[in-house]
Amino acid sequence: HFTSYLSVAFLALGLTVASPQGGLQSRSPEPPFKNGKYVVSRRAQFTNKKVFTFPGNKLPKGLTASNYPAGDSHSFLPANVKVRNNYLELHVPGGQTKMPYKCAEVITDVQNIKYASGELLPLLAYLLVFATVSLCSYIIMATIVTDIAPGMFFYQSDTQEIDIEWLSDPESQSNAGTRHVWFTNQDENGDGKSTYKAVTPPRNPATTEHEYRVDWTAGLVQFYIDGRRIWQTTQDVPTEPGAWIFNNWSSGDKGWSV
């Protein structure tokens, strides 16, 4: 199994676009290299590392733009994935009135990731891939707009999935009038319910860069914002290897992405 430490700076672009304002105010520390391993924490130590950057205008080797319909509601199109100004941009064009809505997604070519650690930085974005015990992934969403659901997630199946999603429309029935960042482990234990928590977003999330991170180790998932642990859970923790995905989408669902 391949574990990964992911780092991607991306802009989630939709109906309105805000420009990111400078670098991070706070972030997780750089993992030191000790005794042949990259140490994220006492529980999360890795032996391998890979870096993806986003210079030029093409995706780096190891990441692929998705090209498939997600049912009848929306589709992921390579044309909506752009690399520009050292950012990965995932576009959902505004003014769409007919389904399927045109959305954007990228996925790791390596799809047997089991436990990993990832970090997303502004301007110089990269994916660090390690091998051994834990999955962490950090993400900075520089531009968040209304009526879309940008996010990052580990995915093997609908029962093996970890999500961090920004539900940007406050009028979504799930948001109930207030924007939230949603942390979720999908239903791994078969009881028909996912494990989730909706949290208050960081300050000025639409115009400033923030780090969103998840640490996945055996039996435990921990969620962070700007280097600070916000929530952790031992429920519905994935046990199977899969891929790491970044996307930006809307399905028209009033209960979620609107």
Side-chain angles (χ1 to χ4, degrees):
H1 296 150
F2 203 61
T3 64
S4 66
Y5 181 83
L6 292 150
S7 182
V8 181
F10 81 82
L11 302 178
L13 303 179
L15 297 179
T16 59
V17 177
S19 298
Q21 298 175 353
L24 288 172
Q25 299 300 310
S26 178
R27 59 158 295 192
S28 301
E30 185 80 13
F33 187 71
K34 296 181 178 180
N35 300 320
K37 293 184 179 181
Y38 297 91
V39 180
V40 174
S41 67
R42 182 182 302 177
R43 187 163 181 159
Q45 301 182 21
F46 305 89
T47 55
N48 298 300
K49 170 183 174 181
K50 183 175 176 60
V51 178
F52 289 101
T53 60
F54 295 93
N57 58 9
K58 295 181 179 179
L59 283 175
K61 185 177 180 180
L63 293 177
T64 297
S66 296
N67 186 13
Y68 68 92
D72 296 328
S73 63
H74 60 290
S75 296
F76 294 110
L77 303 178
N80 287 357
V81 175
K82 302 182 185 301
V83 175
R84 187 161 47 193
N85 298 325
N86 295 308
Y87 281 95
L88 168 63
E89 298 182 0
L90 303 178
H91 290 249
V92 178
Q96 299 187 63
T97 59
K98 296 176 62 176
M99 294 184 178
Y101 299 128
K102 299 174 182 179
C103 304
E105 178 180 274
V106 297
I107 184 171
T108 57
D109 292 347
V110 175
Q111 298 191 15
N112 63 338
I113 298 169
K114 183 177 182 181
Y115 310 135
S117 179
E119 185 171 54
L120 175 64
L121 299 178
L123 301 183
L124 184 62
Y126 57 86
L127 167 61
L128 304 176
V129 179
F130 300 90
T132 306
V133 176
S134 171
L135 170 346
C136 304
S137 197
Y138 316 75
I139 185 166
I140 296 165
M141 299 175 173
T143 307
I144 309 299
V145 299
T146 60
D147 302 330
I148 55 174
M152 66 167 186
F153 56 106
F154 163 80
Y155 184 81
Q156 190 267 346
S157 69
D158 290 346
T159 63
Q160 299 284 316
E161 180 177 350
I162 303 170
D163 303 321
I164 293 183
E165 291 184 285
W166 167 262
L167 202 54
S168 63
D169 191 336
E171 300 309 314
S172 164
Q173 292 171 3
S174 294
N175 273 337
T178 303
R179 289 177 171 178
H180 289 98
V181 176
W182 289 76
F183 301 145
T184 307
N185 286 350
Q186 299 297 341
D187 180 21
E188 188 274 337
N189 61 16
D191 66 357
K193 298 182 294 183
S194 60
T195 298
Y196 64 89
K197 187 174 184 65
V199 303
T200 302
R203 187 176 180 180
N204 299 324
T207 57
T208 57
E209 294 169 337
H210 293 280
E211 177 192 80
Y212 301 82
R213 164 184 161 199
V214 54
D215 289 4
W216 170 34
T217 55
L220 177 68
V221 178
Q222 302 175 85
F223 296 88
Y224 295 75
I225 295 179
D226 291 337
R228 184 169 67 91
R229 188 174 63 190
I230 305 299
W231 184 57
Q232 67 179 37
T233 181
T234 59
Q235 302 299 308
D236 289 319
V237 177
T239 58
E240 300 295 329
W244 201 255
I245 300 172
F246 299 87
N247 65 17
N248 189 23
W249 61 280
S250 178
S251 67
D253 180 3
K254 295 183 182 299
W256 188 248
S257 63
V258 188

